[in-house]
Amino acid sequence: MPTIVPASKIKHDPQELLYQFPSIPKIRYTRLSQEYYFWRQVKNAESIAAMFGRLLIPTSCLHWQRKNIFEERRVQVGRNCYYVLNREELTKTEYSKYMAIVKETEAMEQEEVG
């Protein structure tokens, strides 16, 4: 199943840092926590969409007129919006943009591993 969530972003829960490094700066811990919980929410939304056989499509993949058509299927996580759509509902261009994001995410993971 393709995913738009980088695995490295949800790999480590920042709550462990408080135990291991009690003197961690508050701003650093807050930023790490916000990023972790944002990607965790996106991962949850993506898994719920997958339960219904749909994809979680970032806003950047859709044309503004198509966003208006699918407004009732919008999911907002923080400041970002995503759309829950079937594969058949996507145009060729939208699907290629989605797959580019998925490949970029996979490349980031391979870069970190290798």
Side-chain angles (χ1 to χ4, degrees):
M1 183 83 193
T3 182
I4 58 173
V5 179
S8 62
K9 301 291 184 185
I10 58 172
K11 188 175 183 180
H12 300 291
D13 188 354
Q15 290 180 356
E16 299 171 0
L17 292 175
L18 288 177
Y19 178 74
Q20 295 171 350
F21 305 101
S23 62
I24 188 171
K26 294 175 189 175
I27 295 172
R28 172 114 170 103
Y29 175 74
T30 302
R31 287 184 181 155
L32 289 171
S33 295
Q34 286 174 344
E35 183 178 28
Y36 173 78
Y37 290 115
F38 167 77
W39 285 112
R40 196 65 160 159
Q41 287 177 337
V42 172
K43 183 71 174 171
N44 289 340
E46 191 174 53
S47 65
I48 291 170
M51 287 179 196
F52 293 100
R54 298 182 178 194
L55 301 172
L56 191 70
I57 308 296
T59 304
S60 61
C61 296
L62 298 176
H63 189 269
W64 68 270
Q65 290 174 333
R66 303 255 305 153
K67 290 177 196 175
N68 291 337
I69 294 171
F70 298 121
E71 189 171 346
E72 69 278 353
R73 298 192 207 169
R74 184 176 66 197
V75 176
Q76 187 163 355
V77 179
R79 294 181 180 169
N80 300 0
C81 291
Y82 299 90
Y83 291 85
V84 180
L85 301 173
N86 287 326
R87 165 65 184 100
E88 295 80 31
E89 293 174 325
L90 296 173
T91 63
K92 191 184 338 180
T93 306
E94 291 168 349
Y95 187 70
S96 65
K97 287 180 182 180
Y98 172 73
M99 290 310 293
I101 292 173
V102 169
K103 288 181 182 177
E104 181 182 318
T105 303
E106 291 173 354
M108 285 175 37
E109 296 306 315
Q110 293 296 327
E111 193 175 282
E112 288 182 6
V113 171

